[in-house]
């Protein structure tokens, strides 16, 4: 696995929107919110994200949409792929090792499914990760920009805290590297048009009753 500085690549792809693919969720309604993972000269990892408890990333439900295959886990859920893991600068975990991200605590009801590059949603696995559906709490990160899918079926605030460390191929922490942690904040919110839609629905129902 090679870890390279992909900051320049991100700058050029950030302005490109994704194309909707039939049967898959659509990411193009949100800007990216990157979790920047870096390594200093003493081999200590660092992570930075701008979204905090006061500015959580919103999860939205898209009424009437259904998704195919593993992506069907997002059906009728509030979801987002806005958060993306990205390397910042040169990160060298050593031959055979990689960066592992382990969910240590999270709000009950928060689910995560594996994503990838937003330009290639049809290549994403949508496998449950970070403990969702009894999956491992630890996820081996490729080092490439990865936008995982966060989902919940209930309105409200959610958060998840992750341990970020250098591990071998089996996920065992490797000596000589300093680990770090980061907390992501999310909020499941009603869609902007949902109240108007409710109003329209009740109007139609009233008319039917009178007919
Ligand atoms: Cu991104």
């Amino acid at each position: 696995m090679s870890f390279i500085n992909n900051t320049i690549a991100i700058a050029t792809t950030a302005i490109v929107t994704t194309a909707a693919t039939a049967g898959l969720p659509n990411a193009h309604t949100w800007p990216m919110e990157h979790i920047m993972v870096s390594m200093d000269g003493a081999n200590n990892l660092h992570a930075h994200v701008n979204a905090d408890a006061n500015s959580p990333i919103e999860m939205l439900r898209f009424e009437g949409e259904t998704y195919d295959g593993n992506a069907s886990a997002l059906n009728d859920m509030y979801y987002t792929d806005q958060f993306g893991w990205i390397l910042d600068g040169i990160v060298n975990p050593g031959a055979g090792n990689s960066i592992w991200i382990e969910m240590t605590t999270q709000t009950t009801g928060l689910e995560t499914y594996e994503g990838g590059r937003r330009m290639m949603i049809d290549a994403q696995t949508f496998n449950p990760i970070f403990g969702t559906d009894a999956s491992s709490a630890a996820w081996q990160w490729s080092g490439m920009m990865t936008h995982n899918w966060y989902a919940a079926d209930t309105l409200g605030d959610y958060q998840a805290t992750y341990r970020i460390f250098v591990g071998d191929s089996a996920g065992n922490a490797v000596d000589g590297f300093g680990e770090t942690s980061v907390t992501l904040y999310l909020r499941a919110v009603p869609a902007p048009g949902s109240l108007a839609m409710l109003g329209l629905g009740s109007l139609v129902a009233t008319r039917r009753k009178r007919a």
Side-chain angles (χ1 to χ4, degrees):
M1 177 181 321
S2 67
F3 286 76
I4 60 169
N5 186 336
N6 49 15
T7 303
I8 295 170
I10 296 314
T12 55
T13 57
I15 58 172
V16 180
T17 56
T18 55
T21 303
L24 293 172
N26 196 328
H28 75 268
T29 51
W30 301 294
M32 300 192 196
E33 184 69 37
H34 287 139
I35 309 143
M36 315 285 287
V37 176
S38 60
M39 183 180 283
D40 64 25
N43 285 346
N44 294 309
L45 288 168
H46 302 273
H48 176 78
V49 63
N50 287 320
D52 59 18
N54 294 318
S55 56
I57 292 301
E58 294 184 345
M59 296 187 284
L60 290 170
R61 179 156 64 184
F62 298 89
E63 300 284 348
E65 291 190 6
T66 55
Y67 313 116
D68 297 336
N70 283 354
S72 64
L74 299 179
N75 288 351
D76 297 321
M77 302 286 280
Y78 299 90
Y79 71 79
T80 184
D81 79 332
Q82 205 169 334
F83 279 122
W85 298 93
I86 182 176
L87 290 176
D88 183 19
I90 304 294
V91 175
N92 184 1
N97 303 327
S98 55
I99 305 297
W100 287 77
I101 302 173
E102 180 183 20
M103 187 276 293
T104 53
T105 58
Q106 69 178 4
T107 308
T108 300
L110 185 64
E111 302 179 2
T112 318
Y113 299 90
E114 187 177 53
R117 287 187 60 194
R118 296 180 117 193
M119 300 294 290
M120 302 171 63
I121 289 180
D122 56 355
Q124 299 179 10
T125 70
F126 291 92
N127 287 330
I129 55 174
F130 294 145
T132 298
D133 290 346
S135 60
S136 171
W139 172 68
Q140 185 179 21
W141 180 26
S142 68
M144 303 296 288
M145 179 175 69
T146 304
H147 286 261
N148 293 321
W149 299 86
Y150 285 91
D153 68 2
T154 306
L155 291 169
D157 287 336
Y158 297 84
Q159 67 183 71
T161 299
Y162 302 93
R163 168 195 177 211
I164 304 167
F165 63 99
V166 171
D168 62 19
S169 59
N172 302 304
V174 176
D175 289 342
F177 295 92
E179 57 185 65
T180 189
S181 68
V182 70
T183 299
L184 305 184
Y185 296 89
L186 300 110
R187 176 174 293 162
V189 300
S194 61
L195 291 178
M197 291 294 287
L198 277 174
L200 184 62
S202 59
L203 179 61
V204 171
T206 304
R207 282 185 175 170
R208 276 186 189 152
K209 269 182 189 171
R210 286 177 181 167

